[in-house]
Amino acid sequence: MAVNVDTVASASTAGPRARWKYLDNILTRTGPFTDEDSFMPGEPAIETLDRAKVLVIGAGGLGCEILKNLALSGFKDIHVIDMDTIDVSNLNRQFLFRHADVGSYKAEVAARFVEKRVKGVQITPYCGKIQDKDEAYYMQFAMIVCGLDSVEARRWINATLVGMVDENNPDSLKPLIDGGTEGFKGQARVILPTMTSCIECQLDMHAPRAAVPLCTLATIPRQPQHCIEWAHIIAWEEERKDMTLDTDDPEHITWLYQKALKRAQEFDIPGVTYSMTQGVVKNIIPAIASTNAIVAASCCNEAFKIMTNANPFLGYPERENYMMYTGDDSVYTYTFEHQKKDDCPVCGAGNIARPLQVSPNATLQDFIDGLAERPEAQLKKPSIRTGEKSLYMQLAGLEEQTRPNLAKKMGELVEEGEELLITDKSFPTQFKYKVVFQK
C-alpha cells in the first residue's frame, strides 16, 4: 500500500493538538445526547480536560488499563497511588510491567512507562497506602478513579470523600469512579458523594466469601474448594505441621493440589486444578485481561464525560449509576440506579441505627466473629459499646478490661432495641445498629 508522504508530513507539523484530533472531534461540537446547558464546545472543553488533575488508586490489572486510557483520553495531570511491588505473576495481564521490573513499585514503573509512551502527560506516583494521605491531599483532585481489589480500601476512600463534602464549597465534592472485576464479570459505577448512593450503601453487593464449617471439610466435602480447604487447613497441619506453609512456594502448592485432588477423587468431585488450588489458598480473585480492559474503558469514558460534559455520565441526576458486565455466558451489560439508603452509616440522612439480627444465646465473641461475614457489616476488628458501657474495645489498655465480656451471652449484655455503636480502625466512620433479637 502506498503511503502519502504529504499526509504524514502535514500530520507531524500540524501543531500540538494534532495528536488529539480524534478527541477534538468530540469536544468541539455537540452530539445527539449532549446537554447544551452544561457543555461548552471548543476551547473551554479542551482547556478543562488539559487542566484537570485526576487521581488513580491502584496500579494493578485495572490500574494499568486506567492509566493508559486516561493518558490517551487527553488528561495531562495524573497521580497514582499503589503500595505493592511487581511480582512475576502480574506480568500476564499488567501490561505496563516487564520481567526486569519485578520487585519495583508498581506506581513508579507504571508512571514512567505511560509518560514515555504518551508525550505531554505528567504522572506523579505515590508508593504507599491511601490512608497515608489526609483530606487536603484528596481535595486537590477533580475526581478519583479506583481500580482496587480490596473492599476495605474502597470503603475507606468512600467515607473520606463523603466526609469532605462541604455544602458551602461546591469544589469539595469529588466524583468517585470505581471499577472491579472477577473473572468474566465486572462493574463500573459513579458515586457523587452525598448525592448518589455510596459504596457503603452498596456493600451487600460485595458479600464476603462464607466460611466453610470444619465438620464439612473433615467429613463430607461437596465442592472442589472444600477439598482444597481440607488439604490447606487439616492435611497440612497433620502431615507437615513442622513446616510453615509458603503460598508462593510451587512445591507447597503442588503438595496441597495433589492432596486435594486425591480427596476429590475419593468423593467423586470433579474440578480440582492447580490454578484453583492457588486461588483458594491465596484467596486470589481470578482476573482476565480482556475483562479488565472492558471495565477500565467504561471507567475512563465516565471520567471523560464528567470532566467535559460532552455526554451524560453514569450517576447524572436521576440516571443509572451502576454498570454490570457479564461475559461468562455470552456478553451482557446493563445499567441500573442503585438507590441511596437513608440508614447508610456514611452518607445516610441523619444518624439512623440499622436493625441488626442478634442471637441472645450467642456469646459476644461469636457476635464479633460474625460481623466479619455479615454482608451489611464486614467489620474485622470492631470495638463495640452501647450508650452506657463498653462491651469490647480493641485498644490495648481497654482490651484487657473488656475481654471478660467475650464469653458472656449477648442477652446478658444488651437489651432488645438497644443501640450498638461499632468502630473499626480500618474505617473513619462510626456504625450504629439497633439490636433485634432472633426468636
Side-chain angles (χ1 to χ4, degrees), residues 233-272:
I233 296 172
I234 298 175
W236 184 277
E237 183 63 24
E238 290 178 350
E239 301 181 33
R240 308 186 82 173
K241 61 182 179 181
D242 295 329
M243 185 181 300
T244 302
L245 176 63
D246 182 356
T247 57
D248 291 318
D249 188 330
E251 189 274 327
H252 289 192
I253 296 297
T254 299
W255 188 91
L256 294 174
Y257 162 62
Q258 291 171 346
K259 283 288 180 181
L261 183 61
K262 184 177 179 180
R263 185 168 179 80
Q265 291 169 346
E266 291 174 0
F267 289 88
D268 196 26
I269 299 174
V272 173

Tab-separated table of all heavy atoms in Angstrom, residues 233-272:
chain	number	residue	atom	x	y	z
A	233	ILE	N	-6.067	-26.651	55.448
A	233	ILE	CA	-6.270	-26.444	56.884
A	233	ILE	C	-5.986	-27.695	57.715
A	233	ILE	O	-5.368	-27.621	58.778
A	233	ILE	CB	-7.718	-25.965	57.142
A	233	ILE	CG1	-7.939	-24.606	56.481
A	233	ILE	CG2	-8.021	-25.879	58.637
A	233	ILE	CD1	-9.372	-24.125	56.517
A	234	ILE	N	-6.411	-28.865	57.211
A	234	ILE	CA	-6.336	-30.088	58.012
A	234	ILE	C	-5.128	-30.944	57.644
A	234	ILE	O	-4.309	-31.305	58.505
A	234	ILE	CB	-7.639	-30.897	57.878
A	234	ILE	CG1	-8.816	-30.073	58.420
A	234	ILE	CG2	-7.536	-32.234	58.622
A	234	ILE	CD1	-10.176	-30.724	58.241
A	235	ALA	N	-4.992	-31.283	56.356
A	235	ALA	CA	-3.923	-32.207	55.954
A	235	ALA	C	-2.534	-31.626	56.219
A	235	ALA	O	-1.634	-32.342	56.683
A	235	ALA	CB	-4.081	-32.561	54.475
A	236	TRP	N	-2.363	-30.348	55.918
A	236	TRP	CA	-1.047	-29.734	56.153
A	236	TRP	C	-0.694	-29.772	57.646
A	236	TRP	O	0.437	-30.096	58.012
A	236	TRP	CB	-1.027	-28.299	55.638
A	236	TRP	CG	0.339	-27.660	55.759
A	236	TRP	CD1	0.886	-27.070	56.851
A	236	TRP	CD2	1.330	-27.592	54.727
A	236	TRP	NE1	2.153	-26.631	56.582
A	236	TRP	CE2	2.462	-26.932	55.293
A	236	TRP	CE3	1.387	-28.005	53.409
A	236	TRP	CZ2	3.617	-26.693	54.558
A	236	TRP	CZ3	2.543	-27.754	52.670
A	236	TRP	CH2	3.629	-27.117	53.240
A	237	GLU	N	-1.652	-29.468	58.483
A	237	GLU	CA	-1.406	-29.445	59.927
A	237	GLU	C	-1.090	-30.850	60.453
A	237	GLU	O	-0.277	-31.016	61.365
A	237	GLU	CB	-2.624	-28.871	60.650
A	237	GLU	CG	-2.460	-28.719	62.153
A	237	GLU	CD	-1.360	-27.747	62.548
A	237	GLU	OE1	-1.018	-26.858	61.732
A	237	GLU	OE2	-0.826	-27.891	63.675
A	238	GLU	N	-1.713	-31.869	59.863
A	238	GLU	CA	-1.486	-33.234	60.314
A	238	GLU	C	-0.162	-33.807	59.830
A	238	GLU	O	0.527	-34.517	60.565
A	238	GLU	CB	-2.632	-34.136	59.850
A	238	GLU	CG	-3.962	-33.865	60.552
A	238	GLU	CD	-5.068	-34.754	60.026
A	238	GLU	OE1	-4.845	-35.435	58.989
A	238	GLU	OE2	-6.156	-34.769	60.631
A	239	GLU	N	0.199	-33.494	58.600
A	239	GLU	CA	1.354	-34.151	57.986
A	239	GLU	C	2.602	-33.275	57.881
A	239	GLU	O	3.713	-33.803	57.773
A	239	GLU	CB	0.967	-34.665	56.593
A	239	GLU	CG	-0.197	-35.647	56.604
A	239	GLU	CD	-0.538	-36.157	55.214
A	239	GLU	OE1	0.395	-36.297	54.401
A	239	GLU	OE2	-1.735	-36.394	54.944
A	240	ARG	N	2.440	-31.944	57.918
A	240	ARG	CA	3.608	-31.063	57.735
A	240	ARG	C	3.581	-29.897	58.730
A	240	ARG	O	3.966	-28.787	58.416
A	240	ARG	CB	3.635	-30.528	56.292
A	240	ARG	CG	3.529	-31.597	55.234
A	240	ARG	CD	3.700	-31.030	53.837
A	240	ARG	NE	5.083	-30.867	53.471
A	240	ARG	CZ	5.523	-30.506	52.257
A	240	ARG	NH1	4.638	-30.262	51.290
A	240	ARG	NH2	6.808	-30.371	52.001
A	241	LYS	N	3.104	-30.182	59.937
A	241	LYS	CA	2.924	-29.114	60.908
A	241	LYS	C	4.229	-28.454	61.340
A	241	LYS	O	4.222	-27.335	61.855
A	241	LYS	CB	2.184	-29.635	62.134
A	241	LYS	CG	2.899	-30.744	62.884
A	241	LYS	CD	2.052	-31.224	64.056
A	241	LYS	CE	2.739	-32.354	64.816
A	241	LYS	NZ	1.906	-32.841	65.931
A	242	ASP	N	5.346	-29.138	61.131
A	242	ASP	CA	6.639	-28.554	61.500
A	242	ASP	C	7.177	-27.610	60.425
A	242	ASP	O	8.232	-26.994	60.608
A	242	ASP	CB	7.672	-29.664	61.755
A	242	ASP	CG	7.294	-30.526	62.958
A	242	ASP	OD1	6.662	-29.970	63.878
A	242	ASP	OD2	7.614	-31.717	62.954
A	243	MET	N	6.466	-27.498	59.319
A	243	MET	CA	6.900	-26.654	58.199
A	243	MET	C	5.882	-25.520	57.995
A	243	MET	O	4.683	-25.763	57.923
A	243	MET	CB	7.029	-27.484	56.922
A	243	MET	CG	7.586	-26.735	55.723
A	243	MET	SD	7.673	-27.808	54.259
A	243	MET	CE	8.772	-29.102	54.845
A	244	THR	N	6.366	-24.295	57.915
A	244	THR	CA	5.485	-23.153	57.670
A	244	THR	C	5.057	-23.126	56.211
A	244	THR	O	5.901	-23.174	55.310
A	244	THR	CB	6.193	-21.836	58.021
A	244	THR	OG1	6.593	-21.870	59.396
A	244	THR	CG2	5.268	-20.646	57.789
A	245	LEU	N	3.759	-23.061	55.985
A	245	LEU	CA	3.246	-23.041	54.616
A	245	LEU	C	3.605	-21.725	53.938
A	245	LEU	O	3.322	-20.643	54.458
A	245	LEU	CB	1.731	-23.222	54.627
A	245	LEU	CG	1.022	-23.127	53.273
A	245	LEU	CD1	1.480	-24.230	52.341
A	245	LEU	CD2	-0.491	-23.164	53.454
A	246	ASP	N	4.222	-21.817	52.777
A	246	ASP	CA	4.564	-20.652	51.960
A	246	ASP	C	3.712	-20.709	50.701
A	246	ASP	O	3.945	-21.541	49.818
A	246	ASP	CB	6.050	-20.661	51.604
A	246	ASP	CG	6.478	-19.435	50.791
A	246	ASP	OD1	5.596	-18.628	50.445
A	246	ASP	OD2	7.679	-19.305	50.492
A	247	THR	N	2.721	-19.857	50.617
A	247	THR	CA	1.791	-19.907	49.480
A	247	THR	C	2.418	-19.464	48.171
A	247	THR	O	1.787	-19.582	47.114
A	247	THR	CB	0.550	-19.039	49.768
A	247	THR	OG1	0.970	-17.697	50.045
A	247	THR	CG2	-0.216	-19.573	50.964
A	248	ASP	N	3.635	-18.935	48.219
A	248	ASP	CA	4.348	-18.568	46.989
A	248	ASP	C	5.342	-19.646	46.558
A	248	ASP	O	6.038	-19.492	45.552
A	248	ASP	CB	5.102	-17.244	47.184
A	248	ASP	CG	4.171	-16.059	47.318
A	248	ASP	OD1	3.186	-16.009	46.551
A	248	ASP	OD2	4.408	-15.200	48.179
A	249	ASP	N	5.431	-20.737	47.333
A	249	ASP	CA	6.354	-21.834	47.022
A	249	ASP	C	5.625	-22.852	46.145
A	249	ASP	O	4.662	-23.489	46.593
A	249	ASP	CB	6.843	-22.481	48.317
A	249	ASP	CG	7.945	-23.503	48.073
A	249	ASP	OD1	7.950	-24.130	46.996
A	249	ASP	OD2	8.793	-23.685	48.971
A	250	PRO	N	6.065	-23.063	44.895
A	250	PRO	CA	5.390	-24.012	43.996
A	250	PRO	C	5.327	-25.426	44.574
A	250	PRO	O	4.359	-26.150	44.345
A	250	PRO	CB	6.238	-23.961	42.721
A	250	PRO	CG	6.921	-22.631	42.768
A	250	PRO	CD	7.165	-22.355	44.214
A	251	GLU	N	6.362	-25.811	45.325
A	251	GLU	CA	6.367	-27.170	45.903
A	251	GLU	C	5.244	-27.312	46.926
A	251	GLU	O	4.560	-28.343	46.985
A	251	GLU	CB	7.721	-27.455	46.556
A	251	GLU	CG	7.914	-28.920	46.987
A	251	GLU	CD	7.343	-29.214	48.382
A	251	GLU	OE1	7.379	-28.309	49.236
A	251	GLU	OE2	6.830	-30.331	48.590
A	252	HIS	N	5.014	-26.299	47.729
A	252	HIS	CA	3.953	-26.342	48.728
A	252	HIS	C	2.579	-26.371	48.056
A	252	HIS	O	1.691	-27.133	48.468
A	252	HIS	CB	4.050	-25.126	49.657
A	252	HIS	CG	5.228	-25.180	50.581
A	252	HIS	ND1	5.376	-24.328	51.656
A	252	HIS	CD2	6.315	-25.987	50.603
A	252	HIS	CE1	6.510	-24.606	52.288
A	252	HIS	NE2	7.105	-25.599	51.650
A	253	ILE	N	2.396	-25.543	47.028
A	253	ILE	CA	1.105	-25.519	46.325
A	253	ILE	C	0.862	-26.850	45.623
A	253	ILE	O	-0.269	-27.373	45.611
A	253	ILE	CB	1.059	-24.356	45.317
A	253	ILE	CG1	1.150	-23.005	46.035
A	253	ILE	CG2	-0.222	-24.419	44.487
A	253	ILE	CD1	-0.008	-22.714	46.966
A	254	THR	N	1.921	-27.442	45.049
A	254	THR	CA	1.780	-28.736	44.374
A	254	THR	C	1.371	-29.818	45.367
A	254	THR	O	0.513	-30.662	45.068
A	254	THR	CB	3.104	-29.126	43.696
A	254	THR	OG1	3.440	-28.140	42.719
A	254	THR	CG2	3.001	-30.483	43.019
A	255	TRP	N	1.941	-29.793	46.561
A	255	TRP	CA	1.586	-30.780	47.586
A	255	TRP	C	0.106	-30.643	47.955
A	255	TRP	O	-0.619	-31.643	48.040
A	255	TRP	CB	2.461	-30.557	48.824
A	255	TRP	CG	2.331	-31.631	49.870
A	255	TRP	CD1	3.072	-32.768	49.994
A	255	TRP	CD2	1.378	-31.653	50.952
A	255	TRP	NE1	2.651	-33.510	51.079
A	255	TRP	CE2	1.603	-32.851	51.695
A	255	TRP	CE3	0.361	-30.808	51.366
A	255	TRP	CZ2	0.857	-33.189	52.813
A	255	TRP	CZ3	-0.401	-31.146	52.477
A	255	TRP	CH2	-0.148	-32.314	53.199
A	256	LEU	N	-0.346	-29.414	48.170
A	256	LEU	CA	-1.749	-29.186	48.504
A	256	LEU	C	-2.664	-29.626	47.359
A	256	LEU	O	-3.723	-30.232	47.586
A	256	LEU	CB	-1.983	-27.704	48.813
A	256	LEU	CG	-1.308	-27.139	50.070
A	256	LEU	CD1	-1.529	-25.635	50.148
A	256	LEU	CD2	-1.842	-27.819	51.320
A	257	TYR	N	-2.245	-29.311	46.127
A	257	TYR	CA	-3.050	-29.693	44.960
A	257	TYR	C	-3.210	-31.205	44.868
A	257	TYR	O	-4.314	-31.727	44.653
A	257	TYR	CB	-2.408	-29.143	43.690
A	257	TYR	CG	-2.867	-29.806	42.419
A	257	TYR	CD1	-4.202	-29.752	42.019
A	257	TYR	CD2	-1.965	-30.514	41.621
A	257	TYR	CE1	-4.627	-30.370	40.854
A	257	TYR	CE2	-2.373	-31.131	40.462
A	257	TYR	CZ	-3.711	-31.069	40.081
A	257	TYR	OH	-4.130	-31.695	38.928
A	258	GLN	N	-2.109	-31.935	45.055
A	258	GLN	CA	-2.161	-33.394	44.950
A	258	GLN	C	-3.017	-34.000	46.057
A	258	GLN	O	-3.782	-34.942	45.824
A	258	GLN	CB	-0.739	-33.965	44.982
A	258	GLN	CG	0.074	-33.628	43.736
A	258	GLN	CD	1.530	-34.005	43.846
A	258	GLN	OE1	2.040	-34.303	44.938
A	258	GLN	NE2	2.235	-34.017	42.715
A	259	LYS	N	-2.910	-33.457	47.272
A	259	LYS	CA	-3.740	-33.928	48.368
A	259	LYS	C	-5.220	-33.657	48.099
A	259	LYS	O	-6.090	-34.510	48.324
A	259	LYS	CB	-3.312	-33.241	49.669
A	259	LYS	CG	-2.049	-33.803	50.287
A	259	LYS	CD	-2.309	-35.181	50.879
A	259	LYS	CE	-1.061	-35.762	51.510
A	259	LYS	NZ	-1.310	-37.112	52.076
A	260	ALA	N	-5.510	-32.447	47.624
A	260	ALA	CA	-6.894	-32.074	47.336
A	260	ALA	C	-7.472	-32.913	46.208
A	260	ALA	O	-8.636	-33.341	46.256
A	260	ALA	CB	-6.973	-30.589	46.996
A	261	LEU	N	-6.671	-33.167	45.182
A	261	LEU	CA	-7.123	-33.962	44.037
A	261	LEU	C	-7.454	-35.390	44.465
A	261	LEU	O	-8.482	-35.957	44.056
A	261	LEU	CB	-6.046	-33.972	42.958
A	261	LEU	CG	-6.391	-34.712	41.661
A	261	LEU	CD1	-7.595	-34.066	40.985
A	261	LEU	CD2	-5.194	-34.720	40.716
A	262	LYS	N	-6.603	-35.965	45.311
A	262	LYS	CA	-6.850	-37.330	45.786
A	262	LYS	C	-8.132	-37.396	46.600
A	262	LYS	O	-8.938	-38.330	46.447
A	262	LYS	CB	-5.656	-37.799	46.623
A	262	LYS	CG	-5.778	-39.238	47.094
A	262	LYS	CD	-4.528	-39.679	47.857
A	262	LYS	CE	-4.663	-41.122	48.340
A	262	LYS	NZ	-3.454	-41.567	49.088
A	263	ARG	N	-8.348	-36.407	47.464
A	263	ARG	CA	-9.576	-36.392	48.280
A	263	ARG	C	-10.804	-36.193	47.391
A	263	ARG	O	-11.856	-36.815	47.613
A	263	ARG	CB	-9.501	-35.290	49.335
A	263	ARG	CG	-10.700	-35.286	50.295
A	263	ARG	CD	-10.440	-34.392	51.480
A	263	ARG	NE	-11.552	-34.328	52.417
A	263	ARG	CZ	-11.835	-35.230	53.331
A	263	ARG	NH1	-11.087	-36.330	53.432
A	263	ARG	NH2	-12.865	-35.081	54.153
A	264	ALA	N	-10.691	-35.347	46.391
A	264	ALA	CA	-11.817	-35.119	45.477
A	264	ALA	C	-12.180	-36.397	44.728
A	264	ALA	O	-13.362	-36.690	44.505
A	264	ALA	CB	-11.466	-34.006	44.500
A	265	GLN	N	-11.168	-37.176	44.340
A	265	GLN	CA	-11.429	-38.435	43.637
A	265	GLN	C	-12.131	-39.440	44.546
A	265	GLN	O	-12.994	-40.192	44.102
A	265	GLN	CB	-10.101	-38.995	43.109
A	265	GLN	CG	-9.505	-38.172	41.984
A	265	GLN	CD	-8.081	-38.568	41.630
A	265	GLN	OE1	-7.417	-39.298	42.379
A	265	GLN	NE2	-7.588	-38.096	40.484
A	266	GLU	N	-11.789	-39.408	45.845
A	266	GLU	CA	-12.438	-40.323	46.797
A	266	GLU	C	-13.928	-40.040	46.908
A	266	GLU	O	-14.728	-40.955	47.115
A	266	GLU	CB	-11.776	-40.183	48.175
A	266	GLU	CG	-10.346	-40.697	48.239
A	266	GLU	CD	-9.699	-40.409	49.592
A	266	GLU	OE1	-10.386	-39.801	50.459
A	266	GLU	OE2	-8.512	-40.772	49.783
A	267	PHE	N	-14.303	-38.751	46.790
A	267	PHE	CA	-15.715	-38.374	46.920
A	267	PHE	C	-16.367	-38.084	45.565
A	267	PHE	O	-17.471	-37.535	45.512
A	267	PHE	CB	-15.843	-37.163	47.840
A	267	PHE	CG	-15.566	-37.458	49.286
A	267	PHE	CD1	-14.282	-37.378	49.790
A	267	PHE	CD2	-16.595	-37.838	50.137
A	267	PHE	CE1	-14.011	-37.654	51.132
A	267	PHE	CE2	-16.347	-38.117	51.475
A	267	PHE	CZ	-15.056	-38.035	51.968
A	268	ASP	N	-15.655	-38.457	44.498
A	268	ASP	CA	-16.189	-38.285	43.136
A	268	ASP	C	-16.574	-36.830	42.857
A	268	ASP	O	-17.668	-36.532	42.352
A	268	ASP	CB	-17.399	-39.203	42.922
A	268	ASP	CG	-17.733	-39.364	41.432
A	268	ASP	OD1	-16.805	-39.202	40.609
A	268	ASP	OD2	-18.896	-39.632	41.106
A	269	ILE	N	-15.673	-35.910	43.207
A	269	ILE	CA	-15.897	-34.474	42.994
A	269	ILE	C	-14.933	-33.989	41.905
A	269	ILE	O	-13.715	-34.011	42.095
A	269	ILE	CB	-15.655	-33.671	44.291
A	269	ILE	CG1	-16.631	-34.118	45.386
A	269	ILE	CG2	-15.803	-32.166	44.034
A	269	ILE	CD1	-16.361	-33.487	46.735
A	270	PRO	N	-15.435	-33.561	40.750
A	270	PRO	CA	-14.543	-33.061	39.696
A	270	PRO	C	-14.201	-31.588	39.903
A	270	PRO	O	-14.853	-30.889	40.691
A	270	PRO	CB	-15.391	-33.236	38.435
A	270	PRO	CG	-16.803	-33.023	38.925
A	270	PRO	CD	-16.848	-33.589	40.330
A	271	GLY	N	-13.163	-31.122	39.200
A	271	GLY	CA	-12.904	-29.676	39.145
A	271	GLY	C	-11.686	-29.177	39.872
A	271	GLY	O	-11.332	-27.991	39.756
A	272	VAL	N	-11.004	-30.022	40.656
A	272	VAL	CA	-9.816	-29.551	41.367
A	272	VAL	C	-8.667	-29.379	40.378
A	272	VAL	O	-8.300	-30.312	39.660
A	272	VAL	CB	-9.405	-30.534	42.485
A	272	VAL	CG1	-8.067	-30.114	43.099
A	272	VAL	CG2	-10.471	-30.578	43.560
